[in-house]
Amino acid sequence: MKWRANRYELIEVSKGQRPADLFIQGGTVVNVYSGELLPQNVAVYKDRIAYVGESCAMVGENTRVIDAAGQFVCPGFIEVHAHPWVIYNPVSLAAQSVSTGTTTIVNDNLFFYLHMGAQGFKRMVEDLRELPGNQLWLARLVSQAEFIGERDWFNHADLRMLLDMEEVVGTAEVTRWPLLYEGDPFLIETIEYAKKRGKLSDGHTAGCSYEKLNAIAASGISACHEAITAQETLDRLRLGLWTNLRNSSLRPDLEELIKAITEGKVDTHRLLMTTDGPHPAFILEEGFVNGLVRKAVRLGLPPVQAIQLVTVNAATFLRLDEEIGGIAPSRRADIIILPDLEQIEPSLVISGGETVFEGGSLQKELPHIDWSRYRIGRCLEVEKSVLANPDIYRFPHPNPDVPVPVIGFRSTVITKGMETTLPSKDGYADIAGKDGLLHVALIDRFGKWRTNGLIEGFADKLEGMASTYNTPTDLLAIGKNPEAMARAAASVHEMGGGIAIVQDGKLALEIPLPVGGMMTDHTSFAQAVNYQNELLAALKRLGYPFHDILYTLLFLTCDFLPGLRIVPLGVYDVKSHSVLRPPVPLQG
């Protein structure tokens, strides 16, 4: 991290020979290094902390003095595993999160890299330096759904260039962890490169047994956020993995995971906490990292211990503990002032020595980002006229005697493969007499192929929906009526990416997501919340039975969770690694 203050200046301020720019007096410092609460003053010069103690000698005529009497002076929180593309974008997420005390976010770059390539992503990262807080990144090594040409897109040269960037602190989670278990050479070599550069390798091991975790740890993975029980937390800790206690919109597991501490009395110095990319409304209602701390305290964790998990522990994991994560001389001045250690709602937030939140409002102007400057081509390259053909959304089924596979939803993201027999009409499956059965189609955004399938248990009354919000960011269409699906697809095309619903012959909902087909370009976090709430409410009225529609759309089109999926390779059985229905050319 680049400094504005130099060490000579910090030494002079600490001795009272140079005035501080900022002086916080009368508060109680949360010392995450010793685990103590200490009545101390804090002096800041430029972007760094210069002094922590009882002296006031560095207060000068132009020093801004902040009275923190009766409040707690705490290091800024760190989110080590963020996905800044859940309808919100990095700008709106940064504004919302810094307002709640998170001064460092470590972001996943997946969809930016897919749509921008290495050079476009690099330019974006450089422009985002103007955001409040530290914006750090993890670089994906593979996608969440295999596609033809994937290994060319994720290549050694581009990834090593990204790993050489200061803001990129390591490699991101490999959701398809069996690749690591099998010792995929490209992944292992890239992880080795990251480690030689002094950087971490994040992990994802959902459903991985203890025995298999040994191989994953041996592959060089540094951490995992996929424990869903206290025992799984212990399994990961015992194998040397930094272990994230997750509480998110999809997996609100903290109440179970924290038992490893409150009941198991496990040592916490290699434990972290994460929100793992929750949907916008969850952040608004539950908070961001401050919400994790608040919940952990309510579940029995001492406040200082809970704060350590998201400050000094997180900084140590990131290999940045001499830069961020605590209140001590030479650390970056990322400081929050908390009225109490129960609600964890900051009254003031300082990032890099600048006051960025005070009096209930953001104090730093957000940069204008021209997202089109980074992307490669349009969100949908396929022509709108092609998407107008209802037949591309129908399930080809010339032989009614042959059973067809059905993707059956069993929870928000878990599916089960089923079979059914259906009549055939004009060479396509006739689902008119099958309650709950819907067409689903994944259409290549470049117009080369389409995968057709059938789903059950999604939203029984839905006539037509289309969305670029999905794992491969192709066009996902779902519905009972192919004509309605085609009209929804046309709407998404006109918006340049997004989500549309057609119901009762009318366009019922449009959500423009022009940034990679996944994100609004709006700087207002409230806009992302409104979009998500509107989408969930609309689909609930049409029979959607679950709680997190955004992750339903994401994980229906990925290839690492159990059940049947619809992915670029076809209708795919994850457990057997087999393609049940391959894609066909989009036209012809």
Side-chain angles (χ1 to χ4, degrees):
M1 291 183 175
K2 294 179 175 62
W3 292 35
R4 289 192 291 115
N6 65 53
R7 292 197 183 277
Y8 300 106
E9 293 169 331
L10 295 178
I11 290 169
E12 291 173 358
V13 173
S14 71
K15 294 191 293 186
Q17 297 172 349
R18 177 186 290 263
D21 291 328
L22 184 66
F23 190 78
I24 304 170
Q25 67 178 17
T28 299
V29 170
V30 180
N31 192 306
V32 294
Y33 304 112
S34 66
E36 299 173 286
L37 296 173
L38 302 171
Q40 292 179 319
N41 303 322
V42 179
V44 173
Y45 184 74
K46 293 182 179 176
D47 57 342
R48 297 278 158 171
I49 296 169
Y51 174 83
V52 182
E54 298 179 2
S55 175
C56 299
M58 59 288 303
V59 176
E61 183 179 344
N62 297 317
T63 301
R64 181 192 176 194
V65 177
I66 297 173
D67 184 4
Q71 300 189 84
F72 297 88
V73 184
C74 180
F77 300 143
I78 303 170
E79 170 56 270
V80 297
H81 187 92
H83 300 295
W85 33 253
V86 188
I87 290 190
Y88 42 73
N89 60 56
V91 175
S92 58
L93 180 61
Q96 178 67 21
S97 60
V98 79
S99 300
T100 59
T102 298
T103 53
T104 298
I105 304 181
V106 184
N107 294 306
D108 164 26
N109 80 333
L110 177 60
F111 296 107
F112 306 98
Y113 183 78
L114 286 175
H115 278 267
M116 300 172 182
Q119 292 298 333
F121 171 69
K122 183 175 184 291
R123 287 194 298 272
M124 183 194 74
V125 170
E126 291 167 350
D127 289 349
L128 293 179
R129 289 171 181 164
E130 300 303 312
L131 284 174
N134 300 310
Q135 303 299 312
L136 305 177
W137 294 85
L138 295 172
R140 289 280 185 142
L141 306 184
V142 291
S143 181
Q144 291 187 157
E146 184 180 353
F147 59 89
I148 296 172
E150 178 188 17
R151 289 307 178 101
D152 295 324
W153 197 250
F154 291 86
N155 61 78
H156 280 298
D158 284 343
L159 290 176
R160 290 183 179 188
M161 183 268 286
L162 295 183
L163 287 167
D164 288 341
M165 294 177 64
E166 182 182 21
E167 288 92 346
V168 177
V169 295
T171 67
E173 60 180 321
V174 178
T175 53
R176 291 144 58 191
W177 61 259
L179 292 172
L180 293 170
Y181 184 74
E182 298 297 334
D184 181 273
F186 172 75
L187 296 182
I188 302 302
E189 289 167 17
T190 311
I191 288 170
E192 275 296 290
Y193 182 81
K195 291 189 177 299
K196 287 176 182 177
R197 300 283 292 132
K199 301 191 176 187
L200 64 95
S201 289
D202 203 2
H204 172 114
T205 59
C208 188
S209 69
Y210 179 83
E211 293 301 317
K212 289 184 176 180
L213 274 172
N214 276 269
I216 303 302
S219 76
I221 292 303
S222 309
C224 181
H225 60 280
E226 288 294 338
I228 60 174
T229 66
Q231 182 59 52
E232 288 184 354
T233 300
L234 289 173
D235 289 345
R236 285 152 177 78
L237 275 178
R238 287 167 177 168
L239 292 176
L241 295 174
W242 286 87
T243 304
N244 253 309
L245 309 182
R246 176 174 55 187
N247 203 68
S248 190
S249 58
L250 180 61
R251 296 286 336 182
D253 293 326
L254 189 59
E255 187 169 354
E256 164 62 23
L257 299 176
I258 209 164
K259 292 176 183 176
I261 308 172
T262 57
E263 297 178 11
K265 308 301 179 184
V266 69
D267 187 281
T268 61
H269 79 283
R270 287 179 70 86
L271 286 177
L272 311 164
M273 289 196 289
T274 183
T275 61
D276 191 17
H279 64 57
F282 183 92
I283 294 175
L284 191 66
E285 295 163 7
E286 300 288 332
F288 199 52
V289 177
N290 68 315
L292 294 172
V293 177
R294 178 168 56 240
K295 191 172 183 68
V297 170
R298 289 176 180 171
L299 291 171
L301 218 58
V304 176
Q305 192 175 32
I307 290 170
Q308 286 173 321
L309 268 59
V310 297
T311 54
V312 65
N313 285 20
T316 305
F317 163 64
L318 296 173
R319 307 179 185 186
L320 293 171
D321 56 302
E322 292 193 12
E323 296 281 339
I324 58 176
I327 294 178
S330 88
R331 301 311 192 270
R332 181 180 150 101
D334 294 338
I335 302 168
I336 61 177
I337 296 180
L338 298 170
D340 60 66
L341 295 182
E342 295 177 356
Q343 296 305 313
I344 320 294
E345 295 288 352
S347 59
L348 184 143
V349 179
I350 297 164
S351 175
E354 295 183 44
T355 299
V356 294
F357 178 81
E358 187 176 17
S361 62
L362 199 65
Q363 301 297 305
K364 185 176 175 65
E365 186 174 345
L366 298 174
H368 171 73
I369 302 296
D370 178 7
W371 299 102
S372 65
R373 180 170 174 260
Y374 319 115
R375 69 187 182 204
I376 300 171
R378 296 176 297 171
C379 179
L380 287 174
E381 296 288 344
V382 59
E383 293 299 323
K384 179 182 170 183
S385 59
V386 174
L387 299 178
N389 178 9
D391 286 346
I392 66 175
Y393 307 100
R394 304 182 200 274
F395 187 82
H397 183 52
N399 190 343
D401 296 326
V402 176
V404 295
V406 176
I407 303 169
F409 275 94
R410 293 297 173 262
S411 72
T412 307
V413 298
I414 300 300
T415 64
K416 181 179 180 180
M418 306 182 297
E419 282 191 345
T420 190
T421 56
L422 290 170
S424 179
K425 183 178 181 181
D426 299 326
Y428 297 103
D430 182 1
I431 65 171
K434 289 281 188 175
D435 290 339
L437 208 59
L438 302 176
H439 295 286
V440 60
L442 188 66
I443 297 171
D444 175 37
R445 58 189 170 105
F446 298 104
K448 295 179 180 179
W449 52 261
R450 61 185 166 97
T451 294
N452 294 90
L454 299 166
I455 62 172
E456 178 269 336
F458 177 77
D460 297 357
K461 303 172 187 175
L462 176 63
E463 290 182 9
M465 171 182 174
S467 171
T468 52
Y469 186 93
N470 57 76
T471 290
T473 67
D474 292 311
L475 182 70
L476 176 69
I478 303 172
K480 196 83 171 177
N481 184 333
E483 285 78 13
M485 296 164 72
R487 185 173 176 189
S491 171
V492 169
H493 193 283
E494 290 169 1
M495 290 188 288
I499 305 170
I501 295 176
V502 171
Q503 197 68 18
D504 298 325
K506 300 176 182 177
L507 193 60
L509 180 67
E510 282 186 309
I511 297 175
L513 302 175
V515 185
M518 302 289 292
M519 292 159 273
T520 172
D521 58 1
H522 209 288
T523 58
S524 167
F525 191 82
Q527 183 65 75
V529 175
N530 291 340
Y531 281 155
Q532 184 240 327
N533 285 340
E534 289 172 2
L535 176 63
L536 182 61
L539 287 175
K540 282 279 189 183
R541 289 192 293 269
L542 299 174
Y544 176 74
F546 307 117
H547 73 287
D548 197 334
I549 180 58
L550 298 181
Y551 275 95
T552 296
L553 297 175
L554 277 175
F555 287 174
L556 173 61
T557 52
C558 67
D559 58 10
F560 62 88
L561 284 177
L564 290 191
R565 307 279 153 182
I566 185 164
V567 298
L569 297 184
V571 176
Y572 184 74
D573 187 328
V574 175
K575 188 173 182 179
S576 66
H577 305 292
S578 59
V579 175
L580 305 187
R581 300 279 298 202
V584 298
L586 180 56
Q587 301 183 76

